[in-house]
Amino acid sequence: MVQLDQTGGYRGTVSVKLNNSIGPYIKSFKGVRQGDPLSPILFNLVADCLTRMIIKAQHNGLFTGLIDHIIPYGVVVLQYADDTIIFFKHDMEGANNMKFLLYLYEMIAGLKINFNKSEVITINDEENLGQTYAELFNCQVGLFPIKYLGVPVSPSRLHVRDWLSLIDKCLKILDVLKGSCMCIAGRSTLISSSLNNSPIYHMSVYLLPKTIVNKMDKIRRSFFWQGGGTKKKYHMLKWEKMQKQEKKRWFGN
């Protein structure tokens, strides 16, 4: 399995058409600026070519994806914008074909695949072939769990330490300065609008460990009553009762 990192390097030619007369072509050495609304659209149009090239080569038998006994030809690529994962079975000839295909894609699309930030990850590697594939693709050997679209992914069970990034994100959002300058209503709005978004996104994929859920509840509880300060204050209402009232408000009971 290869996790790719793509960087933009748009190179092309443009010309100005005036009064139905096309001027000389000019080479462009810089793409659209960061934050330009056209940037993700152009990137998706170009990056989609990589998926089509990989699937076409797969159908021609140049390499085989995973679980081909369940899905015809197997799963060979997952791509969302620049977040790309390529799967293939252990086959050095197929790996060479994949490397050549990636070079062709760079030449055609004008995008640069950053192999220094890409990773090779092996599954059930009993022969320790990860380093061999890493030298072939000129990238580093990665380990599970990996992050895809911000969610940790692993073939085995995720541990509590794999979810500590959620706790760090909660602490970053609920900054001391934000809480000290807000009333209780403002803190409640911040908790509902910002703090709950990331856990809900992850909980749509996984069942979070109770330890992580309790830590996030503790952070929210302390922020709501103390405003993020270190000085302890009385909690005027149990957190469980507040959660029940929030459920009633959402469901209209």
Side-chain angles (χ1 to χ4, degrees), residues 110-124:
L111 290 175
K112 180 69 175 177
I113 297 176
N114 193 341
F115 287 101
N116 293 327
K117 292 185 178 180
S118 302
E119 294 180 340
V120 169
I121 305 171
T122 54
I123 303 174
N124 298 329

Side-chain angles (χ1 to χ4, degrees), residues 7-12 46 104-113:
T7 57
Y10 299 104
R11 297 185 300 272
V46 178
L104 288 178
Y105 171 73
E106 287 184 331
M107 296 173 60
I108 295 171
L111 290 175
K112 180 69 175 177
I113 297 176

